[in-house]
Structures are given as structure tokens and as C-alpha cells.
Amino acid sequence: MPAVLGFATIALFLLLTMTRRVSVLVALVVLPVLAALAGGFAGELGGMVLDGLSKVAPTGIMIAFAVLYFSLMVDAGLFDPLTRGLLRLAKGDPMRVTVATAVLTLCVALDGDGASTFLITVSALLPVYRKLGMSPLVLSGVVCLGAGVMNMIPWGGPTVRAMAALKLESSDVFTPVLPAMGFGIAWVLVASWLIGRRERRRLGALTGPGGETAAGEPVAATPTGEPMAATATGEPMAATAPAPGDGPGAVRVAAPAPRWLTVFNLLLTVVLLVALILEVMPLPVLFVLGFAVALLVNHPTWEQQQALLDRHAKNVVLVTTMIFAAGVFTGVLTGTGMIGDMAEALVSVIPDSLGGHLPVLVAVTGMPLSLVFTPDAYYFGVLPVLAETAQGFGTDPAEVARAAILGQMTTGFPLSPLTAATFILVGMSGVQLGEHQRFIFRWAFATTLVMTAGAVLTGAFSL
């Protein structure tokens, strides 16, 4: 019964959010509560919800102050040189911007933390996309592809969990799939090029405000001459007008910051990023301290500080409420035992005839199952059973672990409603989760398929 309720809850969630029948926040809270009541867990519901909320609280705190920090830095013009540099390199060509997005994401994602990857890349690139009038779905989608494949690194969450669950070393799990990861990185660059070409056809390479596209058609512009950005549905929208959930980049101050202040902001940001990578302190503490220092130096008066908080409060609320709602969702599904029963049900339906092909089956299904299982539920609940089953058919359990990291919460995590980082990505990009999933799912799934083929060709696991 719990397994059926769990699968039904997730299926209904995906249906309602992808068809935009209800908001993601409402679905994340209401659906698991209804499922728990239907399963007879009314008496334990409060504890489950609090459990889920307490687990995401550090992430929620970190994101609240991280959004404020990067919003302040964008307002202060810290990323303007990068924006101008990318615009010069892109020469008004959306395809070049899209490929540059993939390259930047692949580099930033080396820290192994999805949340910080999204915070940094979206903060830096959103102004570029708005300047060129590109769809924010392209930004969230390409960042999703780059961060997904890089989440396979040994210090990333999925690989660490796979090694811990099966008591394996990095040399057993990650090293054999390095060539396959190379295939995945190459595919991400190809995919970003293809997506960029499509965006170029839709929009044209802009030559300047109110200029012409590559096709010779005039670019839609505001009365002041600013290019019109595109909404998630492709409708024109003023590039300088903030959209709901745009996050950093939504508002810019008119006057440029003094040079000394820009240098200070750059040094502070570099120190903060290094501290994040070295884990000098917990991430929420670092962002709380970093924002407090940045606010005091950039806006020394009470009136200025209040103005900045008022300006970006909406963005903070939009992102953090999603994260806490996701905590309710995972807390109820975990507390009721739905996720555990779903794992057992999944393993039980695998026929014996496929036992010898389990690695390929695990690799191909891992990415879609990121929408169903939390990383802990899959790697500590499903993976050990799959590995034991594979061993019974003469397959090395390490091969199953290698297969799992090709998709489960790697290429799939930036689309999953079960990870808080996903809501950072969509919230800061200003897109809806359902739109984001529809736009990039097939490209992300193709990344897993390419890496699976690469793994078979290079002998990481057998067919």
C-alpha cells in the first residue's frame, strides 16, 4: 500500500506541475499530506513534516542569504566585466552564449556542490541572457546539463553514496567511468551548440538594442531602445523588467560602483568561494557572514540596507518557500515508509532474464528514477539490493555502482523535485519547474544514454 501511494503521489505531482494545473509549492505540500492521510498516518503527520523541514532548514538558510549576497553583487556591478566579455565573445550570437554557459558550468561544477554551481552560474549569466533577449529556459537547461554530468566526480553526492553503500573505493567506481564521463562532457557541448542554434533561429543574433537579427529582421525593443527578452513561453518581455523569481540580476543600480568597492567585492567573493570549497565553516554560516559584511560595506546606512532588502525580498521568498515545501514532500514520503517500499517494489519487478544485464538497465533507468527517489533512498535502499541481485548472476557489484552514477541524481538531479538545488536553479532563472523539465528532460536523458554507450564501449561494465 505505501508503495502504491508513493508512486501515485509522485506521478500526480509530475502531471499537475508539468501541465501547470497547480503551482509547484501547492503540489509539494498538499499531495504528500493527502497521501499520508489516505495511508492512515494522520497521527504521525506533524512529526514527519517537521522532520523534513529540519533537514532542509540549513539549505533554506544558505539559499536565502546566498540569493541576497549575489543579488547585492549583481547590483554593485561585480559581474559586469564578465557580462561585457561574454557579449564581446558572443558578438550577439545566442549560440556562442549557450556554449559558453556549458563551459562555465562544467568548470564551476568541479566543486561538487550543485547549489553553489547554480548560484554562481545563474548570477553571472542571467544579465547576459536578458541583454540578448534569450529565453531563461535555455540558461536553466544548459546549466542543468553541465552540472548533471559533473556531479559524477568522486566528491559529489551520488558517487560518495555509491561507494559508501557498497563499501567500494573511488578506483572501483569512478575511475573506470572516466572515459564515459568524457563522452558525457562532449555530448553536453554538442547539445548546448544544438540548443544555441535553435535559440539563434528563434531570436537571431542581436547586433544591438533595437538592431536587426541575423536574418535581417528588427529586434523587438522597449520605448527606451532596450531589447525585449523572451519569457519562458517565447513571448517578448522587456529585458530590464524583473520577472517573478528572477533572482540576482532582476534589478540594477544606475550608478557604477567606485573602483575600490569593486575590488573589495571581488576579493570578498573569491574568499567566500574558496571557503566554500574548503568547507572552512558550514555553508549557511559562510553566506550569512559574507552577506552581512558585503551589506555593511556596500550600503553603510540603514536606509540603503532596507532598500536592498525590500528590493530582493520577493526573490528570497520565492526560492526559500520552494525549498521548505520540498522538505515537506520528502519528509512525508520518507516518514511514511513510501520511498522504502517503492525501492523494494522496483527491485521485485525485475525479471530473472534481465539479471545478467542489470548494469545497463540500472544506467538507463537511473536518470528517470531521479524524479522518484531521493539520493539516499536510491543509493542506500535500491542500489545494495540491485548489486546483490547482480552478484547472483555473476556480475561484479562495482559495475552496478558505476552504472548508477551515470544518471541517478547526476544527470537527473537538476530536474528532480526531490532535491533543493533544483528549486535554486529554476527560482533564480525565473522559470517554472514543469517548463524546465519539459524543455531539458530529453537532452539530459540523452546524456545518460551517451555515457552508457561510452561505458559499454570502454569496458566499464558489460552489456
Side-chain angles (χ1 to χ4, degrees), residues 310-324:
D310 289 342
R311 192 158 62 240
H312 297 293
K314 181 180 180 181
N315 301 322
V316 173
V317 170
L318 286 171
V319 178
T320 53
T321 50
M322 288 292 185
I323 290 171
F324 285 113

Side-chain angles (χ1 to χ4, degrees), residues 66 90 116 142 164 200 223 235 284 295 318 369 394 415 424 430 434 436:
S116 61
V142 174
R200 175 204 274 169
E235 296 297 322
L295 183 62
L318 286 171
L369 288 177
L415 296 94
I424 300 170
H436 170 68

